[in-house]
Amino acid sequence: MTERPHHRPSLPGARHFEAIEGRVDPATMTEAAERAATALVRGARQAGDAELVARVVRLADTEGLETLAELWSGAAADSLAGALWRLYLLRTWVYADPATAAAEFDRGRRHVPVAEVISGVVEPPGPDEVRALVDQVLGGVVEGDLADTLFRAAAFARVAAAGRVDDSRGGASYATDVAASRLLTLSDQLERAGRLELAGQLG
């Protein structure tokens, strides 16, 4: 019997979810989302290599954020699927506007020194450096400790939220306050997921 070659982690395309939408109850979809998240995280960590790390990091790029949304966006924040969704949302934001992410991270780290140690120090924190940092953090899903990955992502979001608030002090706006609050909520959710992972209660 010929041994099958190692395949990259993949997810069913959006058409698959469109086809089953309406005939699968929410509980079944939740279970499917958790199974996919568990297979991706736990399976990848058992067979991790540099190529696999890169594929997991770029999953939102290759599969499409919309496909991941179909799979994980409805998952609870304190589930493995929900934690993965928030990790990919954070990376997508950084890649969509790396200059703003870098500026907010730079301003925020002056106010959140403890979190900065967790998220990693980049000198200077320009767009390329911040993209590399968030990829390094997400790569921990495969090659590192998942709890540490979640804590580092939470710290990054918290630092950026502090920088966003700092930027608005000269002329605070409701939109900026709401955006900073959402980023802080994301940080809190990732941190709680990390604590659950340490307790063996995440997914």
Side-chain angles (χ1 to χ4, degrees), residues 8-202:
R8 70 179 180 88
S10 61
L11 295 170
R15 291 179 184 174
H16 172 78
F17 293 103
E18 290 170 1
I20 64 174
E21 188 177 25
R23 57 187 175 87
V24 178
D25 65 73
T28 301
M29 286 297 291
T30 298
E31 182 182 355
E34 285 299 331
R35 283 184 179 178
T38 299
L40 178 67
V41 175
R42 312 303 185 192
R45 290 173 66 196
Q46 291 172 4
D49 56 37
E51 184 180 0
L52 185 56
V53 170
R55 286 170 175 164
V56 170
V57 168
R58 298 195 309 266
L59 189 63
D61 300 335
T62 57
E63 297 291 341
L65 190 63
E66 296 82 5
T67 299
L68 299 191
E70 290 278 1
L71 193 60
W72 293 326
S73 64
D78 57 358
S79 67
L80 181 59
L84 275 183
W85 171 241
R86 284 155 180 80
L87 286 174
Y88 283 111
L89 275 184
L90 186 63
R91 180 182 184 271
T92 300
W93 165 64
V94 169
Y95 266 72
D97 193 356
T100 297
E104 291 179 346
F105 182 79
D106 188 31
R107 287 191 301 269
R109 65 193 189 138
R110 303 169 197 164
H111 303 289
V112 196
V114 175
E116 180 186 36
V117 172
I118 302 172
S119 63
V121 180
V122 188
E123 289 288 353
D128 290 340
E129 289 78 17
V130 172
R131 275 191 298 247
L133 175 58
V134 78
D135 280 355
Q136 181 189 59
V137 170
L138 189 53
V141 167
V142 178
E143 61 184 3
D145 180 85
L146 180 59
D148 181 65
T149 297
L150 293 167
F151 287 137
R152 294 187 73 200
F156 180 91
R158 189 173 298 278
V159 170
R164 189 169 292 180
V165 170
D166 182 69
D167 186 47
S168 71
R169 284 178 179 170
S173 70
Y174 175 76
T176 302
D177 288 346
V178 169
S181 177
R182 286 175 177 167
L183 201 51
L184 191 58
T185 296
L186 178 67
S187 173
D188 290 342
Q189 291 171 337
L190 288 167
E191 186 173 342
R192 172 169 167 71
R195 291 197 300 268
L196 288 173
E197 174 66 12
L198 284 178
Q201 297 174 356
L202 187 69

